[in-house]
Structure formats: C-alpha cells, structure tokens
Amino acid sequence: MHRLDVLSRGYRALLIGPYHQSWKDQLRMPLLQHAVAMRYGRPIEDVAIGMQHFDGSGLVVTRYSKAEIATAELEFKKLSKTVEGYARNIPGLTP
C-alpha cells in the first residue's frame, strides 16, 4: 500500500499510480483489504481499498464484504496449490 488514510469512519488504503478500470476485479484487492485490516488490528469492514493517480486525481475506492474476501482467499489457496504442483515438477526448484 502506498498510503493509508485515517478517516472519520474507518480507514482507506490506497495504491497510487496508473490503474486499469477493472482493478476492482483483481484477486489482490480483497486480499489487500484483509491484509491491511489484520496488520493494523482493525475490523475488515472498517477498511476500504482504492486506487489514485500520481497527480492526486482519479480517486476510486471500494470495500469488499467478508464473503468476497473469503472467496478471494480460497481462490488464492487454489492457485497456490497449482503453482506448487508445477514447481515440484522442476528439478532442483523445491526441496
């Protein structure tokens, strides 16, 4: 995260830079919301995640539900197992 804003009602974690319009659909975004909430010991629903351009324009923010975050975590674990399976087939890559 590039910036964490403390708001009157919760927190806003931002990535700053150019972004694609479909950023909200990226697997990393609900995972980042969860990571920020856990890192700072705050309830997930109190943390919003967003993007903003370098010049300060284009601020867009969303908040993922607990169910959306849980779905993202399951998808990430599934992807991790797939990658691990491929890695095991590369000699010398894994112990």
Side-chain angles (χ1 to χ4, degrees), residues 46-60:
D46 287 354
V47 177
I49 194 92
M51 303 289 286
Q52 188 173 33
H53 295 296
F54 287 120
D55 66 3
S57 68
L59 175 64
V60 286

Side-chain angles (χ1 to χ4, degrees), residues 22-36:
S22 65
W23 70 269
K24 291 179 184 178
D25 298 326
Q26 294 176 358
L27 180 61
R28 68 181 174 149
M29 301 314 281
L31 299 175
L32 286 171
Q33 178 182 332
H34 184 235
V36 169

Side-chain angles (χ1 to χ4, degrees), residues 1-16 23 32-33 36-37 40 42-52 56 58-63:
M1 300 309 326
H2 295 117
R3 192 174 88 207
L4 179 66
D5 299 334
V6 178
L7 308 171
S8 60
R9 294 186 137 192
Y11 305 85
R12 179 173 57 207
L14 297 175
L15 292 172
I16 299 175
W23 70 269
L32 286 171
Q33 178 182 332
V36 169
Y40 293 102
R42 301 294 180 223
I44 291 171
E45 57 273 5
D46 287 354
V47 177
I49 194 92
M51 303 289 286
Q52 188 173 33
L59 175 64
V60 286
V61 178
T62 195
R63 187 175 279 120

